[in-house]
Amino acid sequence: MTAAGAGRGAPGPGGGSAVAGKTVLVTGASGVVGTAVLRELEGYDVVAAVHRRLPAGSARVVQIDLTSPRLGLDAAAYRRLCAEVDVVVHSAAIVNFTADQAEVDRVNIEGLGRAVEFAADADALFVQVSTAFVIRHVSQGGSLGGTLSESKSSARPDEYVTSKLAGENIVRASGLDAVIVRPSVVVGDSRTGEIREAQGAHSLAEATLKGTVPFIPAVEGAHVDVVPCDYVAMGVRAVLDAGLRDGDYWLTAGEHALPIHRFVELVQQVGRDQGLTVPETRIVDPAMVDRLVRPAFAEVLSAEDLAKLDGLLAVCSCVVIPEKLPSSLAAPLGLRVPLDAEDFEEAWRVSVRRLIQEMNAPARSKPAFAWDA
């Protein structure tokens, strides 16, 4: 972890003045974003709120239940927590695209509503970790423009994005002092590649390395916007250090998003450098998938393999974007970290190297779904 005063993630002049005496409740503290945020909040009094999985490196933990009144706490414990907390960083969410939709709504929408109620009772600033992909949902009239219009994939990124957009609307309607941060595709730490749990970009990279998806649907000029989890955490810290009370901030690569061909090329280069035999992966027009490509695979793949292929293509429909996203990392948040195109490329290389190490390691059990993401 980099100390706030060390300069790597500290905001511009005046940053850090809001730290003293501030207690921050981080929900989803054992998840991808929450774990990274905990590491970055040195100097704050941090309470890690989790559902099931225990976070790493936190001395203060509270177990909550977003599906229950008062976050599942008894009345006295709830009042004590309200009296203590100054800021709620809400990163808890179900991010598994195959999770039951009712469960997604129960956590990502109703659960967020309970977190908002807590912030109101605590008179606390509310920082919502949303997703940058709400921009596509809005711009395409409620659809991510998926590549599988005819198929019945078990992976449903559109439903996840819809839940995050609904959450944003709840936050705005609450009347609270509230900041919304919107990460793009979160990948591993920019220096180590470490991440709590593999995300969509990792799944696509692994499929590319193994040749389980021989093509990626993408329009001409499409990109993949990957942002290291430590950059996301530094963006959250910058919001707190600057004492911001409102606004939407994009925690993305922005202009430095990777062109889809370069995204795939880097995966292939790293894999071959690590001694893997990596097959070629074609980039195809999304219009071809339902019309030509998928029917051909349907004749030769088992139902199980076809479902896996559909799932990967559904992930592509979210991860691969036709236009570049806005970014707030350099301005107005003022992160003092390398933010050039080469740096985002190197961060992705580091994540792929770490992924290959994990692929070669013994399999680890994973929960069917996680709130703490």
Side-chain angles (χ1 to χ4, degrees):
M1 179 175 66
T2 301
R8 180 175 182 267
S17 61
V19 174
K22 293 289 186 182
T23 298
V24 182
L25 180 75
V26 180
T27 71
S30 62
V32 170
V33 172
T35 298
V37 168
L38 288 184
R39 292 172 180 166
E40 194 61 35
L41 291 186
E42 185 172 323
Y44 287 93
D45 185 9
V46 179
V47 180
V50 299
H51 178 50
R52 293 192 180 116
R53 297 184 295 180
L54 292 178
S58 178
R60 304 188 61 200
V61 178
V62 58
Q63 191 169 18
I64 66 171
D65 183 351
L66 290 172
T67 66
S68 299
R70 297 192 308 267
L71 306 183
L73 303 174
D74 63 49
Y78 184 82
R79 286 195 300 269
R80 287 195 298 270
L81 195 61
C82 285
E84 186 177 6
V85 170
D86 302 293
V87 181
V88 176
V89 176
H90 184 64
S91 68
I94 290 179
V95 298
N96 186 339
F97 294 164
T98 63
D100 177 73
Q101 180 60 31
E103 189 67 21
V104 171
D105 290 346
R106 206 158 28 240
V107 175
N108 293 7
I109 300 176
E110 296 173 26
L112 178 135
R114 289 194 172 89
V116 166
E117 289 174 2
F118 170 83
D121 291 341
D123 193 23
L125 170 70
F126 192 83
V127 180
Q128 180 198 2
V129 180
S130 183
T131 174
F133 297 104
V134 296
I135 195 172
R136 290 184 62 191
H137 190 283
V138 173
S139 66
Q140 297 189 19
S143 172
L144 287 175
T147 61
L148 298 176
S149 59
E150 300 297 329
S151 64
K152 302 296 184 182
S153 173
S154 61
R156 302 175 302 277
D158 186 60
E159 293 174 354
Y160 164 73
V161 175
T162 299
S163 73
K164 300 300 278 188
L165 184 63
E168 289 194 8
N169 292 334
I170 291 170
V171 171
R172 291 194 185 92
S174 69
L176 291 174
D177 287 346
V179 173
I180 295 171
V181 295
R182 295 179 176 138
S184 53
V185 181
V186 182
V187 296
D189 184 276
S190 62
R191 300 152 295 183
T192 67
E194 181 181 0
I195 192 167
R196 176 69 178 196
E197 193 168 326
Q199 302 296 287
H202 298 89
S203 299
L204 191 52
E206 184 172 353
T208 300
L209 291 167
K210 294 180 176 179
T212 54
V213 56
F215 58 87
I216 294 176
V219 297
E220 186 68 28
H223 293 76
V224 180
D225 190 306
V226 295
V227 60
C229 57
D230 53 323
Y231 283 22
V232 174
M234 286 185 281
V236 171
R237 177 171 186 124
V239 167
L240 304 187
D241 284 354
L244 300 176
R245 309 295 295 184
D246 59 23
D248 303 341
Y249 297 91
W250 302 83
L251 309 183
T252 70
E255 285 299 310
H256 303 311
L258 299 174
I260 182 60
H261 291 85
R262 185 60 175 160
F263 173 89
V264 173
E265 183 180 43
L266 290 172
V267 174
Q268 294 170 332
Q269 286 178 358
V270 172
R272 289 163 184 162
D273 288 346
Q274 297 294 311
L276 301 181
T277 301
V278 184
E280 293 298 325
T281 300
R282 295 179 57 199
I283 309 298
V284 302
D285 191 299
M288 293 177 57
V289 175
D290 275 331
R291 185 166 52 88
L292 297 175
V293 179
R294 190 181 183 282
F297 278 90
E299 296 179 0
V300 297
L301 293 180
S302 67
E304 181 181 358
D305 287 339
L306 189 60
K308 290 179 181 178
L309 176 63
D310 284 348
L312 283 169
L313 295 177
V315 170
C316 288
S317 74
C318 185
V319 170
V320 182
I321 55 176
E323 297 177 354
K324 293 181 178 179
L325 297 164
S327 180
S328 307
L329 290 179
L333 293 180
L335 263 62
R336 294 201 298 266
V337 292
L339 292 171
D340 294 333
E342 294 81 2
D343 300 302
F344 282 97
E345 283 197 2
E346 179 57 24
W348 179 229
R349 287 190 190 95
V350 171
S351 273
V352 177
R353 291 189 196 105
R354 182 64 177 245
L355 171 65
I356 293 171
Q357 293 174 9
E358 295 290 331
M359 287 166 54
N360 294 330
R364 294 178 297 177
S365 62
K366 296 181 180 179
F369 62 85
W371 290 11
D372 307 319

